[in-house]
């Protein structure tokens, strides 16, 4: 046996103890009190099972609230029953979609604990969430001339103006989610035949490639020329702006983009409700208004179901208002 083995074994033992202590410090008390296996399985649920960071954050918040509620009532992990999960969902202060998401997070976690032999059964599997059916999305939508007004209002004499115009244009003209846009590298804007294409890395590990609209191409080329990063294919396409108002090296977070949009729409005099998802909904609506089909919009947006695409369609809003005005009294 190698002479370094005892020392190595001691080091491994200390590392395992430190890792265990770290795990126990990260989990809610009902999980922690159930033992190391439960704590480790809890952390693995978020680190190994959920790959999307947004889903991970939302589910972590949901289960944290649930186990905080259990801890306040001195309910141990093995004491959680369907009636308790149902009671928690019933008193949940959120909307119906929020309650459904909370239940989904709790149910998935308990499934993970059952598979890991921490619990014999899933107490949330039989609990039904509230009914929630919607045929119209709540995302605010801009008119085509409002979207044009915003793009034209940006001061493109600065690198930040060029970047923001290009970023907004990508979301509008390709129906892309903000997380997919900020996650792009320069190489994800590429030549395919005679046209430029975008490559988006979407939720669930999906890769979506769509041709680039001529306006988006013009705006993006202007930004890349000014930023001088067109040949840096493995680096972020959209980058943070430094304190000196120059282009940085790291990609902005989606919350940074959200704050940027809030500033830009305020200056442009557009509705304060405008957010990142507004441009996805606006692009789809304008596309359908100009003769595009739901099937093609679904393909560009990367939706699994046309029902999801229709939630972004506001083409019937004007018709509804016009019909209502027929009630002449």
């Amino acid at each position: 046996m190698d002479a370094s083995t005892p020392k190595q074994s001691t080091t491994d033992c200390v590392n395992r103890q430190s890792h265990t202590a770290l795990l126990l410090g990260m989990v809610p008390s009902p999980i922690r009190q159930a033992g190391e296996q439960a704590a480790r399985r809890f952390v693995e649920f978020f680190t190994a099972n959920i790959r999307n960071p947004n889903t991970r954050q939302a589910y972590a918040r949901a289960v944290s609230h649930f186990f905080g509620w259990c801890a306040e009532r001195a309910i141990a992990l093995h004491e959680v029953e369907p009636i308790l999960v149902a009671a928690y969902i019933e008193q949940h202060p959120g909307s119906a979609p929020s309650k459904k998401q909370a239940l989904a997070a709790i149910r998935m976690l308990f499934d993970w604990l059952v598979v890991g032999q921490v619990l014999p059964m899933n107490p949330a599997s039989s609990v039904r969430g509230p009914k929630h059916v919607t045929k119209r999305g709540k995302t605010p939508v801009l008119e085509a001339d409002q979207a044009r007004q915003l793009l034209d209002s940006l001061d493109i004499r600065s690198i930040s103006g060029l970047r923001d115009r290009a970023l907004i244009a990508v979301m509008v003209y390709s129906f892309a989610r903000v997380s997919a846009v900020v996650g792009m590298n320069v190489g994800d804007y590429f030549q395919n035949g005679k046209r430029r294409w975008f490559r988006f890395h979407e939720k669930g590990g999906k890769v979506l490639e769509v041709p680039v609209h001529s306006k988006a191409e013009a705006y993006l080329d202007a930004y890349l020329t000014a930023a001088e990063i067109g040949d840096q294919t493995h680096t972020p396409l959209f980058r943070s702006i430094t304190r000196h108002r120059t282009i940085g090296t790291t990609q902005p977070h989606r919350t940074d983009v959200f704050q940027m949009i809030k500033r830009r729409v305020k200056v442009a005099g557009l509705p304060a409700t405008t957010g990142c998802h507004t441009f996805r909904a606006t692009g789809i609506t304008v596309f359908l208004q100009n003769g595009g089909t739901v099937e093609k919009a679904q393909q560009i947006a990367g939706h699994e179901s046309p029902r999801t695409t229709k939630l972004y369609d506001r083409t019937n809003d004007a018709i509804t208002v016009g019909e209502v005005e027929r009630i002449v009294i």
Side-chain angles (χ1 to χ4, degrees):
M1 183 176 293
D2 191 281
S4 63
T5 301
K7 182 178 179 180
Q8 184 65 43
S9 299
T10 302
T11 301
D12 290 344
C13 182
V14 171
N15 288 340
R16 283 197 298 270
Q17 290 174 348
S18 299
H19 185 61
T20 299
L22 178 61
L23 292 181
L24 292 176
M26 292 173 61
V27 300
S29 58
I31 296 286
R32 187 170 63 249
Q33 291 165 5
E36 181 181 340
Q37 183 183 359
R40 186 179 300 278
R41 192 69 180 171
F42 178 87
V43 175
E44 287 176 349
F45 173 72
F46 295 102
T47 58
N49 185 52
I50 302 178
R51 305 310 308 157
N52 185 278
N54 298 329
T55 303
R56 184 184 298 126
Q57 184 179 32
Y59 277 27
R61 184 167 52 247
V63 299
S64 176
H65 289 168
F66 171 69
F67 284 115
W69 181 84
C70 290
E72 290 174 357
R73 291 156 180 79
I75 301 171
L77 179 62
H78 68 276
E79 295 175 330
V80 177
E81 298 178 350
I83 191 171
L84 291 174
V85 178
Y88 172 77
I89 296 299
E90 186 68 25
Q91 61 81 53
H92 192 288
S95 61
S98 295
K99 291 183 178 183
K100 289 174 73 71
Q101 184 187 63
L103 180 57
I106 294 167
R107 184 181 289 134
M108 282 185 63
L109 173 63
F110 275 112
D111 271 341
W112 186 257
L113 295 176
V114 170
V115 172
Q117 299 182 344
V118 175
L119 292 172
M121 60 165 287
N122 183 344
S125 61
S126 60
V127 179
R128 298 186 63 182
K131 289 186 177 180
H132 176 70
V133 179
T134 180
K135 294 184 178 180
R136 182 181 185 275
K138 295 183 179 180
T139 304
V141 173
L142 298 177
E143 299 290 340
D145 59 346
Q146 290 179 307
R148 170 50 48 197
Q149 179 183 337
L150 175 60
L151 291 169
D152 290 344
S153 71
L154 301 176
D155 183 0
I156 57 173
R157 292 173 297 179
S158 67
I159 189 63
S160 61
L162 286 168
R163 184 205 66 172
D164 295 350
R165 184 179 68 168
L167 197 156
I168 292 171
V170 173
M171 290 192 288
V172 170
Y173 290 113
S174 63
F175 315 162
R177 297 180 179 88
V178 62
S179 56
V181 175
V182 297
M184 294 174 71
N185 283 337
V186 175
D188 291 322
Y189 172 56
F190 61 97
Q191 193 79 28
N192 185 2
K194 295 183 178 181
R195 292 196 64 96
R196 284 280 192 168
W197 284 63
F198 287 136
R199 181 186 299 111
F200 298 114
H201 299 272
E202 292 283 359
K203 296 189 297 184
K206 294 188 300 183
V207 177
L208 178 66
E209 294 185 351
V210 297
V212 179
H213 190 284
S214 56
K215 288 285 181 66
E217 182 176 356
Y219 295 157
L220 199 49
D221 286 346
Y223 158 66
L224 288 173
T225 299
E228 300 180 341
I229 60 172
D231 59 343
Q232 301 175 23
T233 56
H234 298 293
T235 62
L237 175 60
F238 293 107
R239 306 184 180 193
S240 299
I241 304 299
T242 68
R243 290 183 300 173
H244 303 292
R245 312 309 298 167
T246 58
I247 198 73
T249 58
T250 60
Q251 66 185 40
H253 192 270
R254 58 192 178 90
T255 56
D256 298 326
V257 176
F258 177 76
Q259 294 300 328
M260 175 274 288
I261 289 171
K262 289 299 183 183
R263 294 194 303 271
R264 295 300 193 183
V265 298
K266 183 177 181 180
V267 171
L270 296 175
T273 54
T274 303
C276 300
H277 230 53
T278 294
F279 302 111
R280 183 172 171 87
T282 298
I284 291 174
T285 298
V286 174
F287 175 82
L288 295 174
Q289 285 174 339
N290 286 290
T293 65
V294 171
E295 291 74 20
K296 288 299 181 183
Q298 175 191 352
Q299 185 178 356
I300 298 171
H303 288 145
E304 292 291 340
S305 168
R307 292 178 57 187
T308 305
T309 308
K310 289 177 181 178
L311 293 176
Y312 293 87
D313 178 15
R314 307 299 165 79
T315 55
N316 288 328
D317 287 3
I319 297 175
T320 302
V321 172
E323 294 301 317
V324 168
E325 291 301 323
R326 291 177 181 274
I327 307 173
V328 181
I329 297 177

